[in-house]
Each structure stands twice: as C-alpha cells, then as structure tokens.
Amino acid sequence: MQTFDEQRIAHIKDLLEVKQKVVIVAHKSPDGDSIGSSVGLYHYLQKKGVEVTICHPDPAPYFLQWMNGTETILNAEEQRELTFQKIKEATILFCLDFNTLNRTGILEQALMEASATKIMIDHHLYPGHGFDYTFSEVASCSTAQLITDFIHAMGDDELLDENIGNALYCGIMTDSGSFRFPSVTSHTHIVIARLMEHGVKPHMIHEAVYDTNSFEKLQLWAFAIDQKTEVLEKHKTILITLSQNELEKYHYTKGDTEGLVNEGLSITGIKKSIFLMEQDGIIKISFRSKGEDNPVNTMASKYFQGGGHLNAAGGKWVGSMDAAIAKIKDVLPEFD
C-alpha cells in the first residue's frame, strides 16, 4: 500500500472533487489486465459522479467483452476522430497498465500533446517520464490489483460492487496466470477476498474467459502444438510459430492465440516457452519462463525491441520468420 502514499492520494482526491473530464487509456493490443483495470476504474469513478470515458488504441478481444462497461469503450482503430477528441478534451488522463507512452500505439502523439493531468498506475519495470503522478509497483501481479489498492487508499471500499469486482478479478486472474505466477502474494488473495465479498463469483469469470472458444480456435491450437512446435532440449525451451497464412487458414480473430505460449511451460523439464506470430508485417514474440533463474525480459529487451516482467515478456522482429527463429536460437545459450 506504500505505492499509494497519503500525500499524493490527497492530491488525487482534491482533483476529483471538482468537475473533471476523465479519460482512461491503456496499452495497444489490450489484454485481460488492461481491459479489467480500465473497466473497474471506470465503474468506480462513475459511482463517484465523475464524467469518465475509456479510450483504447484498438478493440478488446471477444473473450473479454462479457464485462459490463466494455461496450462503452472507444477505440482509435474504429472510432478515431471521437477517441482523439475525448483525449484532447480530457482534464485528467488515467494511464493504466503501461510504463511509457509509446506502448499506446496510435494514441501516443495525442497523449504527449494532451494538457490533462496524467496519472499512471502500472506494474511494469522501468516506469518512464511524462506523467504528473506515477503509481508504480513492479512487485504487483497486475494493474487490476493496483486499482483495487487505489480504491482502498481513496477510502472507498464501500463503493466496490459486482461490476467493479468482476473487471478487477478478471485483470488479476489473467495477468497472474490464474494465480500461479510468483508475483501472486498473500496480499493478492486478500484483494480477491475483498472482491468476492462484493459479489464476485470466480467460477463464472473463469468460464467467461477460458471456456469461450470457437471451433476454429481449437483447431488452430491443435495445429500449432502438433505441427508448429519445436523442442530445443539443450536449452529446455519450446518454440511455437504461426505464419500469417496459417492464421488465415484457421480464420484467426483477435485473441485466438492468447495463452498459447503458456502451453509450452506445461511440458515436463521445459523452462522457457517462446511463441512467434507473423502479423501486420512483423513477427510478434511472446516469452514465458519458470523461476527467477530463467528471466526472459532481458532477452526481449536486448534483442527483440521489447521487455516486460521477469517471467513474461514481449518483443518483435522486423524481418522473416526464419530469421527471427535463427536469432532466437543464436542468443538462447546466453540465457541458459
């Protein structure tokens, strides 16, 4: 709770006591944590009587659209003019689940030029500049957990309800690997208990996120595991690759490969799993690992223009799939 010190929280309270136009933004390629923390904060601020809008760079994947409030989200990919207008008119910008403005893609320039007070709440390493208030806690398993802590620090636990709780639980659940990552602490479970006391039913959220699959998605996963997975035994690493043509063959929609990289870690003896997907003219790379002695964020930042957490990171490769695979195999010995 030291993240939300009394002095700065008092400043936020003062800001919200006067009429404001609040906009909530999050990173490009939204996931459960960016959507969950955004929607949870949105419902909380609404209950406080604040005028608030969520503006994201691109749409939420289908398996996250069950949350009440996702239907209100504006995204610049589909509603560019209105999204940019809202950001320009904002007096407060809550910047959630990203540490630097360049992670917001198409929104970056508009956010840089915005005159609004910028409040960052995030759990990624190396928080950047450009924010008026920075609430950063890299030990937290998720930004959604930090939003729950923020509401508590504001003295507003009584405002928690099912809509807020469902969204925040979803964010915590998805970013913690369903509570199995090392970042999950006793405090995480205290937060979950608090949300459950306000109506959250965990089994329903697990079903909504993980049991909402198309047949094409299951076929894609089966193909990827059976045909496009390589075991690098010497490095205790799994490589999974999917080309643009292969995605199209199985009628890929946004979110269909979410979690696929984690499957590699379920194999006995494997310490790293790396998933490469060809999309939008680049190779997008997801890195996962087990244990503190197997960091993947360093590999992502040093060689693949990315970064992230110790055991979960992302990056990209501008070039061919074959070249990306060759580069990974070339640098893997450095991280054994």
Side-chain angles (χ1 to χ4, degrees):
M1 288 300 297
Q2 279 299 108
T3 304
F4 299 102
D5 58 276
E6 290 185 10
Q7 184 176 8
R8 289 187 300 161
I9 285 295
H11 291 169
I12 305 302
K13 286 181 178 180
D14 289 342
L15 285 173
L16 293 176
E17 282 180 0
V18 299
K19 184 175 176 60
Q20 302 282 2
K21 290 185 177 181
V22 173
V23 168
I24 299 168
V25 296
H27 60 73
K28 183 182 178 182
S29 301
D31 56 15
D33 194 21
S34 65
I35 296 292
S37 57
S38 294
V39 172
L41 181 61
Y42 167 83
H43 284 303
Y44 163 67
L45 292 174
Q46 273 208 323
K47 291 188 78 170
K48 288 181 70 70
V50 176
E51 180 183 344
V52 56
T53 307
I54 305 174
C55 293
H56 283 180
D58 46 341
Y62 65 90
F63 61 87
L64 295 173
Q65 294 182 17
W66 55 269
M67 283 178 270
N68 288 334
T70 55
E71 73 282 356
T72 72
I73 299 175
L74 302 177
N75 75 83
E77 196 173 280
E78 297 175 339
Q79 301 148 298
R80 183 184 180 97
E81 186 175 339
L82 182 57
T83 302
F84 278 81
Q85 186 64 30
K86 289 289 185 180
I87 291 172
K88 184 177 181 180
E89 294 173 352
T91 57
I92 294 177
L93 285 166
F94 276 95
C95 303
L96 306 187
D97 204 35
F98 62 88
N99 53 357
T100 57
L101 293 178
N102 62 9
R103 291 202 61 213
T104 62
I106 195 173
L107 298 184
E108 180 183 3
Q109 191 62 36
L111 294 174
M112 289 176 62
E113 295 173 356
S115 60
T117 299
K118 299 180 182 67
I119 303 169
M120 183 256 268
I121 302 177
D122 180 53
H123 69 131
H124 292 90
L125 294 168
Y126 315 121
H129 304 290
F131 305 99
D132 298 289
Y133 296 89
T134 297
F135 298 103
S136 174
E137 180 50 74
V138 299
S140 178
C141 70
S142 60
T143 298
Q145 178 172 299
L146 290 175
I147 295 298
T148 314
D149 290 338
F150 172 71
I151 293 171
H152 180 74
M154 292 284 287
D156 286 333
D157 278 351
E158 74 279 0
L159 294 183
L160 290 172
D161 61 18
E162 191 172 352
N163 283 332
I164 297 170
N166 283 345
L168 297 179
Y169 184 97
C170 178
I172 297 168
M173 177 189 75
T174 52
D175 236 40
S176 68
S178 293
F179 309 101
R180 74 178 184 270
F181 292 162
S183 55
V184 174
T185 64
S186 58
H187 178 63
T188 304
H189 291 286
I190 290 170
V191 166
I192 293 302
R194 190 183 304 152
L195 298 179
M196 291 178 68
E197 288 170 356
H198 288 85
V200 170
K201 298 177 178 62
H203 70 281
M204 295 181 66
I205 299 173
H206 281 260
E207 289 173 6
V209 174
Y210 298 120
D211 297 337
T212 307
N213 298 313
S214 66
F215 186 56
E216 289 84 0
K217 173 186 172 179
L218 296 181
Q219 288 181 307
L220 176 63
W221 279 48
F223 169 74
I225 294 169
D226 184 49
Q227 300 293 324
K228 301 305 300 291
T229 298
E230 182 178 1
V231 182
L232 306 176
E233 293 185 3
K234 181 179 179 181
H235 304 296
K236 299 179 181 179
T237 297
I238 288 289
L239 284 185
I240 306 172
T241 62
L242 285 171
S243 70
Q244 183 79 50
N245 288 338
E246 290 162 347
L247 293 172
E248 292 172 358
K249 177 181 177 181
Y250 290 98
H251 306 288
Y252 169 84
T253 61
K254 189 173 187 176
D256 276 353
T257 57
E258 186 77 22
L260 177 59
V261 65
N262 296 323
E263 295 302 302
L265 293 181
S266 68
I267 300 172
T268 302
I270 293 299
K271 298 296 183 182
K272 296 184 185 72
S273 180
I274 305 173
F275 171 50
L276 301 90
M277 181 173 73
E278 182 185 13
Q279 196 176 35
D280 302 329
I282 62 171
I283 309 299
K284 298 181 179 180
I285 311 175
S286 297
F287 302 85
R288 297 292 185 272
S289 66
K290 292 179 180 176
E292 294 182 359
D293 58 342
N294 284 292
V296 286
N297 55 345
T298 306
M299 187 192 308
S301 61
K302 186 173 182 179
Y303 295 108
F304 299 100
Q305 303 180 53
H309 303 292
L310 188 76
N311 300 120
K316 66 180 180 179
W317 178 265
V318 181
S320 70
M321 179 70 79
D322 287 343
I325 294 169
K327 185 65 176 180
I328 286 173
K329 291 180 177 180
D330 181 55
V331 304
L332 264 176
E334 182 180 337
F335 300 94
D336 283 345

